[in-house]
Amino acid sequence: MTQSTAQSIEELTQTALGELVLLDNSEALEQWRVRYLGRRGGLTGILRGLSQLDIEQRREVGALGNRAKSTLEDELEKRSQEISQARLAQVADLERIDVTLPGRPVATGRLHPTTQVVREITDAFVAMGFSIVEGPEVEWDHYNFEMLNIPQGHPARDMWNTLWVDYVNEEGQRPMLLRTHTSPMQARVMESAQPPVRVIVPGKCYRYEATDATHEWHFYQVEGLAVDEGITFADLKGTLFEFARRLFGSERKVRFRCDYFPFVEPGVDMSIDCFSCQGTDSSCRICRGSGWIEIMGAGMVHPQVLAGVGYDAEKYTGFAFGLGPERIAMLKYGIDDIRHFYSNDLRFLRQF
Ligand code: FA5
């Protein structure tokens, strides 16, 4: 009996130690402890059976059992420390900086396609001697309409569906609006400078309009104004032809047609041939089958506008134009809907 109990203790100890070295986490260690050293564990069971031995044998086998118990406890403690050290080393490894690894690419932003095209347009005019000025987006009726030969009640006001600002003055009028075009800067510039004037004005405009493939309710314009002695319609055409050549190349067709704007006389609009169908598709969403896309309004500054800012309209003449950068970006890049510009779809914006 003594012999076989001693052998069982020896075998159990060897099995337990063999299993212990394979364990690698604290849950497995706890299960191992319960299996061998717990109240119902293997070694505890053997030691409980000692009561049946006589006193001499009990002492002998008991000492053996106690040694086995403390061996298992010591080894358990050792393994537990090994596992926690291995974990600490693993964490340290993860935190270590490997300077030989390639860096993570930094996602850089980019200029919005409208901004890129506004810069191209302004660069083209700056190269022709124009300077850049900017003006307020919240504007007075006075500059947006009155100084441009469009008094209260003038039917031409219907050409610009206006977003009025909710401010009522002492006379009960609402004299403030979100500018419908960049033309109010014509009057502001001429009020503050004497000829010769050669400026371009990039900026945002707003209209109370239903949107479609070529109309947004907010969009950019670039206004141009040149006033001096002896400026003629030929200067207007020459400047705008040169602009079209710089932006689109000489192969693109340009068309001028008579148009009406109360602040110019004569007035024209300038169009470029349709990039999408070249006039061959009567259902084209871009040109509606006409083959032309209007990109700007222009004309010779109306003598009344010159006189309104105190210029001598007998002495000075000038031309002005207002063009739409989004329409120009559409032409350059073959974009078929203006609403893509401000819908903030990164798949669209990342292409530029
Ligand atoms: C004007 O706004 C005049 N101020 C232009 C002008 C300036 C004429 C100086 C004469 C002298 P018009 O409403 O046509 O004109 O707009 C000019 C250009 O702005 C258009 O050719 C077009 O390119 C762009 N544009 C107008 N409305 C919109 C819109 N809703 N969405 C996008 N672009 C527009």
Side-chain angles (χ1 to χ4, degrees):
M1 175 71 185
T2 321
Q3 200 57 35
S4 71
T5 310
Q7 199 174 339
S8 305
I9 292 173
E10 184 55 31
E11 277 170 15
L12 180 136
T13 309
Q14 290 315 317
T15 312
L17 291 176
E19 282 175 18
L20 185 64
V21 290
L22 301 176
L23 305 182
D24 63 358
N25 62 68
S26 50
E27 289 85 48
L29 287 186
E30 176 58 11
Q31 283 164 10
W32 181 92
R33 189 193 65 74
V34 170
R35 193 155 60 247
Y36 294 106
L37 299 168
R39 273 199 304 137
R40 298 202 183 131
L43 185 62
T44 320
I46 294 172
L47 294 178
R48 213 174 270 141
L50 293 184
S51 54
Q52 286 158 21
L53 301 179
D54 65 39
I55 186 115
E56 201 47 43
Q57 290 173 330
R58 209 187 300 164
R59 186 175 299 137
E60 201 179 308
V61 181
L64 199 65
N66 282 338
R67 267 206 305 281
K69 190 170 178 228
S70 56
T71 304
L72 293 185
E73 282 171 351
D74 289 352
E75 290 303 314
L76 174 66
E77 175 62 23
K78 223 194 278 173
R79 186 72 196 133
S80 163
Q81 278 180 14
E82 277 168 12
I83 289 174
S84 51
Q85 266 162 17
R87 284 212 52 199
L88 284 176
Q90 222 172 15
V91 171
D93 243 15
L94 285 177
E95 285 175 356
R96 190 178 307 142
I97 295 169
D98 181 350
V99 290
T100 65
L101 281 176
R104 292 202 188 106
V106 178
T108 47
R110 63 192 73 213
L111 291 177
H112 191 279
T114 308
T115 309
Q116 292 184 31
V117 170
V118 166
R119 289 192 184 181
E120 264 187 74
I121 295 167
T122 51
D123 284 352
F125 285 110
V126 165
M128 289 188 261
F130 286 76
S131 346
I132 301 173
V133 291
E134 288 181 308
E137 288 175 25
V138 180
E139 186 54 281
W140 298 105
D141 179 311
H142 176 75
Y143 287 108
N144 198 83
F145 291 126
E146 306 236 339
M147 294 293 278
L148 294 172
N149 217 12
I150 317 171
Q152 292 281 353
H154 193 293
R157 287 196 175 212
D158 293 344
M159 289 166 71
W160 293 279
N161 300 310
T162 309
L163 289 158
W164 294 94
V165 174
D166 219 1
Y167 156 71
V168 181
N169 66 11
E170 282 161 6
E171 286 96 60
Q173 300 155 334
R174 282 194 302 170
M176 246 187 203
L177 45 85
L178 297 184
R179 67 177 174 194
T180 56
H181 49 180
T182 40
S183 299
M185 281 303 287
Q186 289 186 24
R188 283 183 179 272
V189 167
M190 289 190 282
E191 268 182 353
S192 62
Q194 286 301 306
V197 168
R198 247 181 233 99
V199 292
I200 42 167
V201 188
K204 214 168 176 186
C205 308
Y206 305 82
R207 291 188 195 177
Y208 184 61
E209 299 303 336
T211 60
D212 63 24
T214 52
H215 292 84
E216 258 292 2
W217 68 271
H218 61 114
F219 54 95
Y220 280 76
Q221 280 192 347
V222 178
E223 188 82 6
L225 174 72
V227 183
D228 202 352
E229 283 182 59
I231 288 190
T232 68
F233 196 82
D235 296 311
L236 164 65
K237 276 184 88 174
T239 306
L240 296 183
F241 268 131
E242 175 60 11
F243 159 73
R245 195 189 62 75
R246 280 176 191 254
L247 250 83
F248 301 110
S250 47
E251 68 284 358
R252 211 79 202 230
K253 287 192 221 131
V254 174
R255 180 183 77 174
F256 285 100
R257 276 192 323 182
C258 289
D259 202 348
Y260 170 70
F261 300 96
F263 37 94
V264 288
E265 180 56 36
V268 292
D269 68 49
M270 180 174 143
S271 305
I272 307 256
D273 58 325
C274 177
F275 64 87
S276 180
C277 76
Q278 282 83 34
T280 57
D281 176 6
S282 60
S283 60
C284 175
R285 290 209 307 154
I286 311 296
C287 69
R288 298 191 183 93
S290 72
W292 297 97
I293 305 166
E294 181 201 313
I295 57 163
M296 70 170 97
M300 299 303 290
V301 182
H302 199 291
Q304 205 113 334
V305 175
L306 295 174
V309 294
Y311 281 10
D312 180 349
E314 295 291 322
K315 187 174 172 193
Y316 296 111
T317 50
F319 65 79
F321 56 87
L323 56 87
E326 290 91 351
R327 300 252 179 105
I328 287 173
M330 290 170 79
L331 279 167
K332 275 186 78 84
Y333 301 118
I335 299 163
D336 67 355
D337 197 317
I338 197 169
R339 288 166 292 195
H340 289 311
F341 283 88
Y342 307 114
S343 58
N344 292 333
D345 185 339
L346 288 179
R347 290 169 305 176
F348 170 76
L349 295 173
R350 284 197 179 119
Q351 295 175 64
F352 301 94

